[in-house]
């Protein structure tokens, strides 16, 4: 997979079913926009050091969606990182104009793409179903009692 791979209009797409909600989003300046026509596979809070640094926050709220359902307008810039503890490659995609982190591509799961929840136009119904890399969570963040917690990755 190329680090510059970004879903395009030539990517195969499935028609949204009547029950599937199309979601849209964009970066802060509007140079990059997107939509996806599938229900999220999961929404996960990630406390890993790279997500903290990439978002400039204590964690990242990651919405995992089927890659074929994502349609992007504009061209995000990509920085490839390697997980310090797991060695997995990540393509971290962001707006080259305003710097907003938008997507992360997991090389070990090429059929999925992470959409950063804060970039969604409507976040209604987006609730994390798990937390990963809890051992890297900042000490002031209490574990959520109502969802599974993982000290590292989901696997």
């Amino acid at each position: 997979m190329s680090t510059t791979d970004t879903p395009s209009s030539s990517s195969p797409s499935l028609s949204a079913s009547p029950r599937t909600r199309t979601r849209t989003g964009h970066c802060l300046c509007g140079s990059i926009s997107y939509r996806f026509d599938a229900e999220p596979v999961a929404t996960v809070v990630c406390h890993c050091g790279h997500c903290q640094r990439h978002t400039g926050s204590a964690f990242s709220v990651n919405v995992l969606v089927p890659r074929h359902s994502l349609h992007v307008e504009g061209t995000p810039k990509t920085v490839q990182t390697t997980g310090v503890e797991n060695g997995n490659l990540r393509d971290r995609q962001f707006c080259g104009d305003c710097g907003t982190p938008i997507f992360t591509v997991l090389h070990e799961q090429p059929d999925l793409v992470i959409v950063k929840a804060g970039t969604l136009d409507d976040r209604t119904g987006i609730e994390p179903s798990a937390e990963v890399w809890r051992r890297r969570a900042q000490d002031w963040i209490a574990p959520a009692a109502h969802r599974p917690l993982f000290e590292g990755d989901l696997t």
Side-chain angles (χ1 to χ4, degrees):
M1 170 183 293
S2 166
T3 59
T4 58
D5 274 358
T6 304
S8 69
S9 59
S10 63
S11 298
S13 65
L14 298 177
S15 298
S17 74
R19 297 170 57 191
T20 300
R21 176 178 175 179
T22 297
R23 290 194 183 258
T24 59
H26 62 276
C27 65
L28 187 60
C29 73
S31 293
I32 309 287
S33 61
Y34 64 86
R35 70 177 168 82
F36 59 89
D37 304 317
E39 290 301 314
V41 173
T43 301
V44 178
V45 173
C46 184
H47 298 277
C48 81
H50 282 173
C51 278
Q52 289 184 44
R53 190 167 307 279
H54 188 234
T55 62
S57 185
F59 52 83
S60 179
V61 180
N62 298 325
V63 181
L64 285 76
V65 301
R67 191 173 179 133
H68 67 78
S69 72
L70 182 66
H71 309 277
V72 179
E73 291 187 30
T75 304
K77 288 196 173 194
T78 300
V79 171
Q80 190 171 84
T81 60
T82 302
V84 174
E85 295 184 63
N86 63 18
N88 291 332
L89 293 177
R90 304 282 185 257
D91 292 336
R92 298 183 182 274
Q93 299 182 334
F94 59 97
C95 175
D97 294 330
C98 68
T100 302
I102 308 169
F103 311 114
T104 300
V105 177
L106 310 170
H107 281 237
E108 74 277 16
Q109 295 185 34
D111 294 337
L112 294 177
V113 64
I114 290 172
V115 174
K116 301 300 181 179
T119 66
L120 289 166
D121 292 328
D122 180 2
R123 298 169 200 87
T124 304
I126 298 294
E127 182 176 341
S129 55
E131 294 186 36
V132 296
W133 293 101
R134 276 295 311 170
R135 71 173 168 255
R136 298 289 175 235
Q138 295 186 22
D139 57 6
W140 56 268
I141 298 175
H146 64 285
R147 63 179 157 249
L149 308 173
F150 297 86
E151 290 302 305
D153 278 330
L154 286 171
T155 56

